[in-house]
Amino acid sequence: TQYDLITGTDVIFRLDLVLPLLQVLSRLTRPKTGVCYICCQVRCPDSHYLFEEELKGGGWFDDWEVIGDEEVWKKVEWG
C-alpha cells in the first residue's frame, strides 16, 4: 500500500533510525504524486544532519525541500 500524504513530527532523534525511517517513507509514499511532510526540531544534530544529507544525495524522493522556521511562519495565514 502506498499513500498520497504522509505526515510526521519529531521522528528524527536517533542516528541509527534515520535510514530505516527514510526506507519506510520512500516505500509508503506514492511515486510521482505522493507528498511527505516531516516537521522536526533538532534534537540530535547528527541525526538531523544525516537525514538532510541523505535527502540531498540518497535518491529517496524525486523532489524535496527543507523549510526553516521563518519560512513556515511566513506561509501561515492567520485569521
Side-chain angles (χ1 to χ4, degrees):
T1 302
Q2 293 181 313
Y3 300 94
D4 294 322
L5 175 65
I6 296 175
T7 60
T9 60
D10 286 330
V11 294
I12 304 168
F13 54 87
R14 276 187 37 189
L15 191 58
D16 62 321
L17 296 178
V18 171
L19 294 179
L21 173 64
L22 285 166
Q23 290 170 348
V24 168
L25 293 174
S26 69
R27 287 184 187 147
L28 293 179
T29 304
R30 189 176 312 281
K32 306 288 184 204
T33 60
V35 177
C36 181
Y37 291 107
I38 303 297
C39 304
C40 63
Q41 178 179 353
V42 178
R43 301 195 186 282
C44 172
D46 291 339
S47 298
H48 195 81
Y49 177 79
L50 178 60
F51 186 80
E52 286 193 21
E53 288 301 304
E54 282 292 322
L55 285 176
K56 290 177 187 174
W60 298 101
F61 300 98
D62 294 330
D63 190 23
W64 61 273
E65 178 181 8
V66 174
I67 299 174
D69 292 344
E70 297 80 22
E71 290 88 4
V72 170
W73 287 114
K74 286 178 188 175
K75 292 183 179 193
V76 173
E77 293 185 27
W78 299 98

